[in-house]
């Protein structure tokens, strides 16, 4: 077995029969190697490695990276992945915002724009703005539409990943069943991948900061509440794209709290930004939205701090069961309310460590997001590169070019 940059193993038979697309996976870590080093690592004949490297160089996916030290004679040339050969348009659509970014194939952000935009305005308004800003950002980054390898989009609701169509999203009127892929491809004729925003946040956070952890949960606490589940290194979407929808799991203390989904006691109805603002308002502290709660917490308002701490306990109530079921090694708390830091985190930890099985929490880490509001952009970029740089996709690109 030969290991890729991501730590997965490639059987020798796959290396022998898989062509340049499989060999390329070894180079995605960015480390420069010579043809001889690749032949030694893979066990392939030098002539086979040389022909596959030549094809990858011709495609631009691999480029020269200096020379190795010589033991006599001409120094051998080194080669490495060239992430600048193409770019990705990464898009994070939230309940009240849109972030559009251009990244290279390593997820490095080259240009970015953040806009206030209500997702309830409908797909034509939101996606029209996404396409316009995307083309503008490409120009700002000195790139063209022809340089785009793909578009990755995160939406704040359930998505059928195979088709990119939203499925009965509760805060997205007019989006149900909308063909997001076809709309974007009218202007950008490239692969377009769409997923739930929390799924791509999980991808982005793990890739950037927790790559060594194969069992990972990302919890978003903002206008809504949800989670992205990575189990055995794979993102889990479920049968209909609703895996990880923590926001509509019942919390015991919420029996008389009506959720917008029509049920009572949902986590989102107690712990989301709007829910916390409404609770403070009932207590006589003026607050209309989650950002007001964060402002009050930053000012040291005790009622706001207590409300946020209780939200952490409510999230912890649900996570205690999830930890017993999935046994993650890391839980990361993100979303706008996660920016309040230890107040929310303290409530989560208080309940999870008390109510989950000791074996499940023996080595469990619960951490605040390190990627912050960049998590979704990094994940949207990663979602595209996983697709366009897969062995099959690379092989198809080389055959088309040949």
């Amino acid at each position: 077995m030969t290991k890729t940059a991501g730590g997965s193993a490639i059987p020798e038979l796959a290396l022998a029969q898989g062509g340049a697309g499989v060999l390329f996976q070894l180079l995605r870590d960015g480390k420069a190697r010579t043809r001889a080093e690749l032949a030694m690592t893979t066990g392939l004949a030098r002539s086979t490695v040389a022909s596959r490297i030549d094809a990858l160089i011709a495609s631009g996916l691999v480029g020269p990276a200096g020379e190795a030290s010589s033991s006599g004679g001409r120094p051998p040339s080194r080669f490495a992945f060239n992430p600048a050969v193409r770019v990705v348009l990464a898009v994070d659509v939230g309940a009240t915002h849109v972030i559009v970014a251009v990244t290279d194939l390593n997820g490095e952000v080259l240009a970015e724009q953040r806009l206030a935009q209500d997702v309830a305005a409908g797909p034509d308004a939101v996606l029209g703005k996404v396409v316009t800003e995307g083309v503008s950002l490409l120009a700002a980054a000195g790139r063209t539409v022809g340089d785009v390898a793909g578009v990755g989009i995160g939406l704040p609701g359930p998505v059928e990943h195979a088709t990119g169509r939203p499925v009965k999203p509760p805060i997205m009127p007019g989006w149900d069943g909308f063909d997001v892929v076809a709309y974007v491809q009218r202007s950008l004729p490239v692969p377009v991948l769409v997923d739930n925003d929390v799924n791509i946040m999980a991808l982005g956070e793990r890739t950037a900061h927790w790559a060594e952890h194969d069992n990972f949960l990302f919890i978003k606490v903002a206008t809504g509440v949800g989670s992205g589940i990575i189990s055995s290194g794979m993102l889990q979407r479920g049968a209909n794209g609703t895996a990880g929808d923590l926001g509509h799991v019942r919390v015991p203390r919420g029996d008389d709290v009506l959720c917008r989904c029509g049920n009572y006691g949902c986590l989102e109805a107690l712990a989301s930004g709007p829910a916390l603002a409404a609770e403070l308002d009932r207590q006589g502290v003026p607050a209309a939205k989650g950002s007001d709660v964060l402002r009050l917490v930053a000012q040291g308002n005790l009622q706001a701090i207590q409300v946020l701490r209780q939200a952490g306990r409510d999230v912890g109530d649900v996570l205690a069961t999830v930890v017993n079921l999935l046994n993650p090694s890391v839980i990361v708390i993100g979303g706008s309310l996660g920016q309040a830091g230890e107040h929310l985190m303290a409530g989560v930890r208080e309940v999870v460590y008390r109510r989950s099985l000791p074996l499940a929490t023996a080595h469990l880490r619960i951490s605040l997001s390190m990627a912050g509001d960049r998590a979704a952009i990094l994940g949207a970029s990663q979602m595209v590169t996983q697709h366009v740089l897969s062995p099959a996709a690379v092989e198809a690109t080389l055959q088309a070019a040949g």
Side-chain angles (χ1 to χ4, degrees):
M1 295 282 186
T2 302
K3 295 287 186 179
T4 68
S8 58
I10 303 178
E12 279 73 9
L13 182 61
L15 273 169
Q17 298 180 346
V22 174
L23 183 65
F24 172 70
Q25 305 308 308
L26 302 179
L27 294 166
R28 286 185 58 185
D29 61 2
K31 179 182 176 182
R33 297 173 174 86
T34 65
R35 291 183 175 90
E37 288 170 339
L38 284 168
M40 184 177 298
T41 299
T42 62
L44 297 173
R46 288 198 182 192
S47 59
T48 301
V49 170
S51 65
R52 293 178 182 179
I53 288 295
D54 288 345
L56 290 168
I57 290 172
S59 75
L61 287 170
V62 170
E67 295 178 335
S69 57
S70 174
S71 57
R74 183 178 178 182
S77 298
R78 282 179 167 169
F79 308 94
F81 174 40
N82 174 23
V85 65
R86 305 288 295 280
V87 295
V88 173
L89 200 60
V91 182
D92 170 27
V93 177
T96 57
H97 74 265
V98 169
I99 305 175
V100 184
V102 176
T103 78
D104 67 13
L105 295 179
N106 264 342
E108 185 73 25
V109 176
L110 308 176
E112 183 177 359
Q113 181 65 269
R114 297 161 183 250
L115 307 164
Q117 174 64 59
D118 194 333
V119 73
D124 288 294
V126 174
L127 295 176
K129 186 169 287 189
V130 163
V131 169
T132 300
E133 289 297 330
V135 172
S136 176
L137 282 176
L138 286 169
R143 309 303 290 254
T144 68
V145 171
D147 293 328
V148 178
V151 179
I153 302 174
L155 296 176
V159 173
E160 186 180 57
H161 181 65
T163 64
R165 294 174 184 264
V167 182
K168 296 181 172 59
I171 64 169
M172 301 169 62
W175 287 81
D176 184 29
F178 187 83
D179 195 341
V180 176
V181 174
Y183 185 99
V184 174
Q185 286 181 333
R186 292 176 201 163
S187 304
L188 300 166
V190 296
V192 177
L193 303 178
V194 188
D195 206 342
N196 174 271
D197 60 347
V198 193
N199 282 345
I200 66 169
M201 291 170 84
L203 276 179
E205 183 79 31
R206 178 182 177 246
T207 300
H209 300 288
W210 306 92
E212 70 277 17
H213 291 272
D214 285 343
N215 296 285
F216 175 90
L217 287 178
F218 185 94
I219 312 301
K220 177 187 176 185
V221 188
T223 304
V225 180
S227 72
I229 303 169
I230 294 176
S231 181
S232 299
M234 300 294 292
L235 181 64
Q236 305 299 315
R237 296 185 173 93
N240 301 105
T242 65
D245 192 359
L246 294 184
H248 299 285
V249 174
R250 183 175 174 273
V251 178
R253 77 176 188 92
D255 283 347
D256 59 345
V257 180
L258 180 63
C259 180
R260 62 188 171 186
C261 74
N263 289 322
Y264 285 87
C266 293
L267 177 62
E268 188 171 296
L270 287 106
S272 66
L276 300 191
E279 176 59 28
L280 284 175
D281 209 46
R282 282 192 291 271
Q283 295 180 19
V285 180
K289 51 190 177 181
S291 58
D292 294 331
V293 178
L294 296 178
R295 174 179 51 79
L296 290 164
V297 168
Q299 292 170 355
N301 182 283
L302 290 179
Q303 286 167 282
I305 290 172
Q306 289 171 352
V307 163
L308 191 61
R309 178 73 173 254
Q310 181 57 50
R313 294 189 188 101
D314 291 334
V315 173
D317 259 327
V318 174
L319 285 182
T321 301
V322 173
V323 166
N324 288 339
L325 285 172
L326 299 180
N327 189 206
S329 58
V330 175
I331 296 175
V332 170
I333 310 294
S336 58
L337 293 187
Q339 295 173 13
E342 291 304 319
H343 298 299
L344 183 72
M345 181 72 69
V348 172
R349 286 174 171 154
E350 175 187 331
V351 178
V352 169
Y353 288 122
R354 173 166 50 85
R355 292 194 50 202
S356 298
L357 292 172
L359 184 59
T361 57
H363 303 289
L364 174 65
R365 295 181 63 180
I366 303 177
S367 173
L368 290 173
S369 171
M370 290 189 277
D373 58 4
R374 276 261 176 99
I377 288 299
L378 297 176
S381 177
Q382 176 72 7
M383 178 170 62
V384 171
T385 56
Q386 284 181 354
H387 176 75
V388 302
L389 297 182
S390 67
V394 170
E395 200 66 43
T397 299
L398 298 179
Q399 289 177 2

